[in-house]
């Protein structure tokens, strides 16, 4: 049985207990490393996929009732590096190409491919194309559910703006943990 948005958010809050600081640090470090790498030609493309997979690894550990660790950020470099790199590259190219058609197809495909990094953390032997295909399959009939989940954070996003970003310490991990709960909801419903 599929959980409601409020149930996933409640689980996300529970899983953040004892992991909030680490999850926030993983988010900030991942974003900073990607930003710095993007100053070097092609380096941003190289690190984006593995860092994104590593970030999702940290969140998945929390939902598995394990302690998140900063080292999880680098799991995408350790496990299946080539495929994690390809995932970031291919996913970026696909979304860009769909967005060229019009904005709406790009948004739809962004939601279709949204679970690919999570899949790479759960099934380490997947190829990039298999993860994208499986994400598309999982998201059939679930794109609107994910959109509604993300939309439910509009108040939190406004709070982050009003506090000049200070609320991001809580809001960013909370939102991403809720999306991880969403992934678990559709992944384990199979």
């Amino acid at each position: 049985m599929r959980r409601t948005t409020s149930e996933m958010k409640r689980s996300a809050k529970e899983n953040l207990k004892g992991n909030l600081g680490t999850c926030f640090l993983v988010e900030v470090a991942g974003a900073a490393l990607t930003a710095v790498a993007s100053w070097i030609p092609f380096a941003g493309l190289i690190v984006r996929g593995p860092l994104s997979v590593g970030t999702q690894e940290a969140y998945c550990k929390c939902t598995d009732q394990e302690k998140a660790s900063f080292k999880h950020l680098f799991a995408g470099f350790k496990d299946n590096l080539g495929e994690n790199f390809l995932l970031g590259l291919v996913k970026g190219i696909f979304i860009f190409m769909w967005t060229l058609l019009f904005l709406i197809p790009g948004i739809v495909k962004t939601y279709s491919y949204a679970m690919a990094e999570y899949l790479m953390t759960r099934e380490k032997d997947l190829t990039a194309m298999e993860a994208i295909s499986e994400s598309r399959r999982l998201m059939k009939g679930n794109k609107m559910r994910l959109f509604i989940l993300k939309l439910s954070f509009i108040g939190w996003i406004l709070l982050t703006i009003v506090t000049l970003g200070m609320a991001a310490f809580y809001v960013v991990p909370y939102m991403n943990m809720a999306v991880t709960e969403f992934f678990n909801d559709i992944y384990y419903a199979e």
Side-chain angles (χ1 to χ4, degrees):
M1 184 164 159
R2 301 279 164 103
R3 293 183 292 167
T4 65
T5 295
S6 60
E7 290 170 331
M8 288 184 279
K9 289 171 80 172
R10 195 173 315 113
S11 291
K13 285 179 186 177
E14 283 298 313
N15 286 323
L16 275 177
K17 290 179 180 170
N19 290 302
L20 179 63
T22 303
C23 288
F24 182 74
L25 184 60
V26 165
E27 290 283 352
V28 170
L33 289 171
T34 302
V36 169
S38 68
W39 295 343
I40 303 166
F42 304 108
L45 291 174
I46 293 169
V47 301
R48 183 177 64 211
L51 286 173
S52 184
V53 169
T55 300
Q56 304 328 324
E57 174 93 8
Y59 284 98
C60 284
K61 291 294 181 188
C62 295
T63 62
D64 293 343
Q65 307 306 309
E66 296 179 32
K67 191 94 168 120
S69 169
F70 184 73
K71 70 179 182 180
H72 291 124
L73 176 62
F74 303 102
F77 291 98
K78 187 178 71 167
D79 302 321
N80 212 359
L81 173 62
E83 292 300 329
N84 291 334
F85 158 71
L86 282 174
L87 177 63
L89 181 65
V90 171
K91 188 175 162 183
I93 290 170
F94 284 0
I95 291 170
F96 174 73
M97 299 291 278
W98 280 104
T99 304
L100 286 177
L101 292 175
F102 287 110
L103 184 61
I104 300 300
I107 293 169
V108 170
K109 288 302 177 181
T110 298
Y111 277 85
S112 291
Y113 307 152
M115 300 296 117
E117 289 85 359
Y118 293 99
L119 287 160
M120 295 295 269
T121 68
R122 293 291 187 206
E123 302 176 34
K124 305 242 186 253
D125 59 340
L126 283 180
T127 67
M129 290 308 297
E130 289 169 341
I132 288 171
S133 295
E134 181 63 11
S135 179
R136 285 178 41 227
R137 187 186 72 73
L138 284 174
M139 290 304 288
K140 277 189 181 158
N142 287 307
K143 289 183 277 299
M144 185 56 74
R145 283 184 67 218
L146 180 57
F147 177 76
I148 290 168
L149 174 65
K150 289 184 172 189
L151 190 62
S152 74
F153 283 95
I154 196 76
W156 287 103
I157 293 167
L158 292 173
L159 176 65
T160 302
I161 293 167
V162 168
T163 61
L164 303 175
M166 292 184 60
F169 178 79
Y170 179 75
V171 175
V172 171
Y174 178 30
M175 287 175 58
N176 288 328
M177 188 66 75
V179 174
T180 305
E181 288 291 338
F182 173 85
F183 166 74
N184 286 335
D185 194 56
I186 62 174
Y187 182 74
Y188 292 114
E190 297 288 303

